C-alpha cells in the first residue's frame, strides 16, 4: 500500500532522512520506532504530502509523490503529533467542520460522524467542549477527524505521546479495531518500545535518519539475540533509545497539557 | 466560524472602535476648524471619514495572517493541508472571515459618523456600496496578510513586517489628505497603493458623489484581489513546513 524508496530529506545542513526504504502492506499496522530526532516525523510528513522529499520516491496505492499529491490526499488520513482540536468547540463541532471541509453532504455527515463517534467510544462526550476532554479522548477525536473521508491509509505521528497508560491502551484498542474491522492500513511513529511491541505487526527501527532494521518484533529480537525490544535497540544502534530525549518529551507533554486547559 | 468567534468575544468590537473615534474626534475636528487641507469644498471631517473607515479595515485585515501563524503553531494547518480539499478553499474561507470583521467595523464607523453628524450622503445605495467596497478591501489586505504569513512563518517576523508596512500604506494614500498636496515621490507610491483606490471609491460614494474613475478603481481592485488569492493559494502550503 505504501512503498518508500531511497527517501532523502535535507533541511539545509541537517540530513533528517538519509536514504530510507520500507514497505507497508495493505491491512498492516506498521510502526516507525526511534529516538528523538531520528526522522520519524519527517517521514510521516512527507508521506502525508505536507513536505516534498529532497530525493527518492513514495508510492501510495499506485500513485506517486510528490507528483500525485492531490490524488493521494483522497486516501490518506493524517493525525499530527500535537493535539490540535479546537478546545473552545464541542467534539461534535470539531467533527462537523472537518466533515464540511471534505465536502460530505448533510446525511453523509450525520452517518459518518455517528459511526466514528461510536467507534471511538466518545459518544457520551461529543456535546461537551473539547477542553474538558482527557488526552486520550482528544486523540481519539482527532483520529475520527482524520477518518471522515474514509481514507484507506491512516498516518499517525506519536499518537500516544504524553498519555497516561489507560488512555494509551484505549488508543491502541481503537487502532486495532480499525485494522481488524475496516482493513485500514496504519503507519504510526512512536518512541515507546512497549507500544511498538504490543501494537505493531512490523517495525522499522530508525536512528539518525536511517533505518537500522525492519521486521516483526520477534524477528528483530531474534536477530539481535536478546529478549526485549529495548535491548535489541541498544545492540543494533549502539546507544539507548531515550538518551537525550527527556527534555523534548517533557516539552511535548506540557504542550499537550496546555492545549487541554 | 468568524461570526461565532466574534460572538464569543464582543469586547473586541468595542476596543476596535476606540481608535477610529480618536482619529475622527481629534484629527477631524481640529483640521475642520483650521481648514489647512484642501478638500474640495467638503468639511475635513467628512473628507476623512472614508479614510478612517478604510484605515480601520486595513488594520484588522493586515494582521489577519496572524491567525494563520497561530493555527500553524497548533498543528491545525498541517491537518488541513493533508485533507483532500483544494488549497484555494482555505484562502477564500479566511478571506470571507476577514470580510465579516470588516463589515462589523464599517457598521461601527457609520454609526459614529451619524453620532458626530458628519455630512455624509446617506442612502440604501451608498450603504450597500460601502459594504461592498469594505468586503473588497478586507479581501485584498487579508490575502496580502496571508501571503506575508506564509513567507514569514513566525509571529515575531510577521509582526515586524506588518508594522513596517502598515504605516506607509496608510500615510502614502489619500486616506487623510488628498494626493495632490503630497510631495512627488509620495504621490507615486500613493497612486499605486491599493488603499488609495479604496479611499477614492468610498469618498465618491459617501461624500462627493462625483463618480470619477470609479469603475476603473473597482476593476483594478478586483484584479488585484484575484492575483493576491492566487499567490496566497500557491504559498499557503509553505505553512506546513
Ligand atoms: N523544519 C525543519 N527545519 C530544520 N531541521 C529540521 C526540521 N524538521 C526537522 N528537522 C531536523 O531533522 C531531524 C529529524 O527530525 P524529526 O522531527 O523527523 O525527528 P523525530 O524522529 O520525529 O523526533 P521526535 O521524537 O523529537 O519527534 C532532527 O535533527 C531535526 O532537528
Ligand atoms: Mg516527531
Amino acid at each position: 500500500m505504501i512503498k518508500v524508496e531511497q527517501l532523502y530529506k535535507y533541511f539545509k545542513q541537517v540530513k533528517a532522512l538519509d536514504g530510507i526504504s520500507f514497505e507497508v502492506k495493505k491491512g498492516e499496522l506498521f510502526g516507525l520506532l526511534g529516538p528523538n530526532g531520528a526522522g520519524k516525523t519527517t517521514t510521516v510528513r512527507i508521506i502525508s504530502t505536507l513536505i516534498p522529499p529532497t530525493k527518492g520516491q513514495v508510492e501510495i496505492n499506485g500513485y506517486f509523490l510528490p507528483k500525485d499529491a492531490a490524488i493521494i490526499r483522497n486516501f490518506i488520513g493524517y493525525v499530527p503529533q500535537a493535539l490540535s482540536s479546537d478546545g473552545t468547540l464541542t467534539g461534535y463541532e470539531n467533527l462537523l467542520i472537518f466533515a464540511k471541509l471534505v465536502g460530505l453532504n448533510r446525511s453523509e455527515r450525520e452517518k459518518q460522524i455517528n459511526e466514528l463517534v461510536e467507534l471511538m467510544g466518545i459518544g457520551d462526550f461529543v456535546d461537551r467542549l473539547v477542553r474538558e476532554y482527557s488526552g486520550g479522548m482528544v486523540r481519539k477525536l482527532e483520529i475520527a477527524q482524520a477518518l471522515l473521508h474514509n481514507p484507506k491509509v491512516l498516518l499517525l505521528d506519536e499518537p500516544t505521546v504524553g498519555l497516561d497508560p489507560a488512555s494509551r491502551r484505549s488508543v491502541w484498542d481503537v487502532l486495532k479495531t480499525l485494522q481488524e474491522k475496516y482493513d485500514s492500513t496504519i503507519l504510526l511513529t512512536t518512541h515507546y518500545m512497549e507500544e511498538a511491541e504490543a501494537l505493531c505487526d512490523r517495525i522499522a527501527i530508525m536512528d539518525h535518519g536511517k533505518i537500522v532494521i525492519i521486521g516483526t518484533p520477534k524477528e528483530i529480537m531474534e536477530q539481535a539475540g536478546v529478549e526485549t525490544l529495548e535491548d535489541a535497540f541498544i545492540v543494533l544502534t549502539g546507544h539507548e533509545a531515550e538518551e537525550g530525549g527527556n527534555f523534548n518529551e517533557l516539552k511535548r507533554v506540557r504542550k499537550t497539557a496546555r492545549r487541554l486547559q | 466560524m468568524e461570526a461565532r468567534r466574534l460572538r464569543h468575544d464582543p469586547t473586541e468590537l468595542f476596543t476596535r472602535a476606540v481608535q477610529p473615534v480618536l482619529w475622527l474626534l481629534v484629527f477631524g475636528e481640529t483640521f475642520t476648524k483650521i481648514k489647512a487641507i484642501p478638500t474640495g469644498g467638503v468639511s475635513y471631517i467628512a473628507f476623512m471619514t472614508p479614510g478612517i473607515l478604510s484605515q480601520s479595515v486595513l488594520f484588522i485585515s493586515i494582521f489577519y495572517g496572524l491567525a494563520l501563524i497561530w493555527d500553524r503553531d497548533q498543528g491545525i494547518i498541517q491537518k488541513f493541508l493533508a485533507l483532500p480539499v483544494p488549497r484555494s478553499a482555505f484562502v477564500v474561507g479566511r478571506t470571507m472571515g476577514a470580510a465579516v470583521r470588516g463589515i462589523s467595523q464599517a457598521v461601527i464607523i457609520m454609526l459614529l459618523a451619524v453620532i458626530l453628524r458628519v455630512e455624509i450622503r446617506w442612502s440604501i445605495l451608498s450603504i450597500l456600496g460601502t459594504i461592498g467596497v469594505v468586503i473588497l478591501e478586507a479581501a485584498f489586505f487579508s490575502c496580502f496578510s496571508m501571503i506575508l504569513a506564509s513567507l514569514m512563518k513566525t509571529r515575531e517576523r510577521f509582526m515586524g513586517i506588518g508594522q513596517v508596512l502598515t504605516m506607509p500604506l496608510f500615510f502614502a494614500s489619500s486616506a487623510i489628505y488628498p494626493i495632490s498636496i503630497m510631495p512627488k515621490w509620495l504621490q507615486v507610491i500613493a497612486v499605486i497603493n491599493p488603499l488609495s483606490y479604496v479611499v477614492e471609491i468610498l469618498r465618491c460614494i459617501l461624500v462627493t458623489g462625483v463618480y470619477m474613475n470609479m469603475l476603473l478603481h473597482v476593476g483594478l481592485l478586483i484584479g488585484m484581489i484575484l492575483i493576491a488569492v492566487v499567490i496566497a493559494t500557491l504559498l499557503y502550503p509553505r505553512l506546513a513546513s
Side-chain angles (χ1 to χ4, degrees):
Chain A
M1 192 55 122
I2 307 175
K3 197 168 172 193
V4 173
E5 260 172 280
Q6 284 301 310
L7 201 62
Y8 291 82
K9 179 72 189 181
Y10 301 156
F11 295 105
K12 304 214 174 75
Q13 267 73 291
V14 186
K15 285 187 182 172
L17 293 181
D18 198 9
I20 61 164
S21 305
F22 62 91
E23 199 172 335
V24 184
K25 302 193 189 84
K26 186 168 185 333
E28 191 172 37
L29 212 166
F30 190 92
L32 288 174
L33 177 65
N36 293 128
K40 308 181 296 291
T41 297
T42 307
T43 310
V44 173
R45 281 173 147 191
I46 292 176
I47 300 178
S48 330
T49 77
L50 292 181
I51 54 175
T54 307
K55 218 163 59 184
Q57 91 176 9
V58 179
E59 181 186 339
I60 305 173
N61 200 25
Y63 293 90
F64 292 90
L65 277 177
K67 164 165 81 70
D68 305 321
I71 304 171
I72 286 175
R73 275 179 220 121
N74 286 302
F75 35 75
I76 58 163
Y78 168 60
V79 183
Q81 189 167 328
L83 293 180
S84 50
S85 295
D86 192 333
T88 64
L89 300 178
T90 66
Y92 178 79
E93 288 168 331
N94 267 290
L95 288 169
L96 190 64
I97 292 174
F98 274 63
K100 284 185 176 172
L101 272 173
V102 298
L104 299 182
N105 66 34
R106 187 184 289 265
S107 66
E108 288 169 339
R109 284 205 297 261
E110 286 306 312
K111 184 172 153 290
Q112 194 72 345
I113 291 177
N114 287 336
E115 190 177 334
L116 286 170
V117 162
E118 186 168 334
L119 182 68
M120 298 298 149
I122 50 176
D124 297 340
F125 299 90
V126 277
D127 293 321
R128 296 236 208 121
L129 292 183
V130 169
R131 62 165 164 252
E132 298 169 16
Y133 282 26
S134 73
M137 287 197 302
V138 178
R139 194 47 102 195
K140 286 191 273 184
L141 175 67
E142 297 205 295
I143 295 175
Q145 282 183 314
L147 290 174
L148 283 164
H149 60 292
N150 276 325
K152 301 176 198 290
V153 178
L154 186 60
L155 307 161
L156 306 108
D157 197 1
E158 309 222 15
T160 66
V161 72
L163 299 186
D164 62 76
S167 297
R168 180 168 300 163
R169 216 157 282 273
S170 75
V171 172
W172 291 359
D173 289 342
V174 161
L175 295 178
K176 281 274 190 219
T177 311
L178 280 173
Q179 186 194 17
E180 280 156 19
K181 280 217 187 116
Y182 295 81
D183 203 24
S184 303
T185 305
I186 302 174
L187 171 69
L188 61 82
T189 75
T190 181
H191 63 272
Y192 298 121
M193 304 286 166
E194 73 284 6
E195 175 160 294
E197 196 169 343
L199 189 60
C200 302
D201 300 323
R202 285 194 309 138
I203 305 169
I205 294 186
M206 289 186 77
D207 193 27
H208 296 302
K210 288 198 162 80
I211 288 184
V212 184
I213 191 171
I214 304 182
T216 64
K218 209 158 145 249
E219 285 166 4
I220 292 177
M221 288 183 280
E222 271 167 17
Q223 202 155 340
V226 291
E227 298 290 303
T228 65
L229 210 50
E230 194 106 18
D231 291 337
F233 187 90
I234 297 171
V235 170
L236 292 164
T237 64
H239 63 82
E240 304 224 5
E242 305 287 340
E243 163 182 299
N246 287 334
F247 174 66
N248 255 331
E249 158 88 336
L250 198 66
K251 217 167 66 180
R252 274 198 309 241
V253 176
R254 286 228 193 91
K255 204 168 170 185
T256 308
R258 248 205 335 263
R259 281 285 308 157
L260 299 173
Q261 275 165 17
Chain B
M1 274 286 276
E2 203 54 42
R4 190 159 28 186
R5 287 215 182 105
L6 272 184
R7 228 180 302 137
H8 276 300
D9 190 10
T11 53
E12 198 196 322
L13 280 178
F14 178 76
T15 47
R16 282 210 323 255
V18 173
Q19 219 192 10
V21 175
L22 291 178
W23 273 97
L24 280 179
L25 279 180
V26 179
F27 226 72
E29 297 283 356
T30 320
F31 279 83
T32 301
K33 297 234 171 60
I34 62 179
K35 294 193 172 62
I37 295 173
T39 53
V42 297
S43 76
Y44 182 69
I45 195 163
F47 176 85
M48 88 179 287
T49 300
I52 296 306
L53 171 55
S54 58
Q55 176 229 33
S56 60
V57 174
L58 166 74
F59 280 17
I60 51 173
S61 309
I62 202 101
F63 289 108
Y64 209 72
L66 212 52
L68 235 59
I69 291 177
W70 171 257
D71 282 358
R72 171 179 186 262
D73 294 345
Q74 303 279 303
I76 299 172
I77 299 266
Q78 288 84 337
K79 238 164 39 170
F80 282 167
L81 280 170
L83 291 176
V85 177
R87 275 87 205 281
S88 55
F90 300 120
V91 172
V92 173
R94 296 273 177 180
T95 303
M96 294 199 301
V100 170
R101 282 187 183 236
I103 293 171
S104 74
Q105 190 73 2
V107 170
I108 292 172
I109 293 180
M110 302 236 248
L111 287 176
L112 261 176
V114 173
I115 295 167
L116 296 175
R117 304 220 190 114
V118 181
E119 322 88 88
I120 276 178
R121 302 155 48 90
W122 295 110
S123 72
I124 299 287
L125 219 60
S126 73
I127 291 173
L128 288 180
T130 304
I131 287 177
V133 178
V134 164
I135 291 175
L136 293 182
E137 180 188 2
F140 177 77
F141 285 108
S142 61
C143 276
F144 183 64
S145 173
M146 285 190 263
I147 292 172
L148 290 181
S150 310
L151 293 173
M152 296 299 140
K153 292 187 189 172
T154 67
R155 186 176 313 238
E156 296 74 24
R157 287 197 288 171
F158 177 84
M159 288 305 283
I161 195 100
Q163 254 135 21
V164 166
L165 285 176
T166 315
M167 276 303 155
L169 270 174
F170 176 45
F171 286 112
S173 79
S174 52
I176 49 174
Y177 33 70
I179 293 182
S180 55
I181 65 163
M182 296 177 189
K184 259 272 167 312
W185 61 271
L186 201 56
Q187 284 192 10
V188 175
I189 304 175
V191 168
I192 53 170
N193 183 350
L195 190 65
S196 295
Y197 306 152
V198 173
V199 175
E200 290 305 323
I201 303 167
L202 284 177
R203 203 165 274 150
C204 285
I205 297 175
L206 289 175
V207 186
T208 60
V210 185
Y211 296 92
M212 222 174 34
N213 292 339
M214 171 129 128
L215 281 181
L216 175 71
H217 285 149
V218 173
L220 276 173
L221 202 55
I222 290 177
M224 287 170 127
I225 291 171
L226 292 179
I227 295 170
V229 168
V230 170
I231 298 177
T233 303
L234 291 176
L235 291 179
Y236 192 87
R238 289 174 58 102
L239 287 165
S241 54

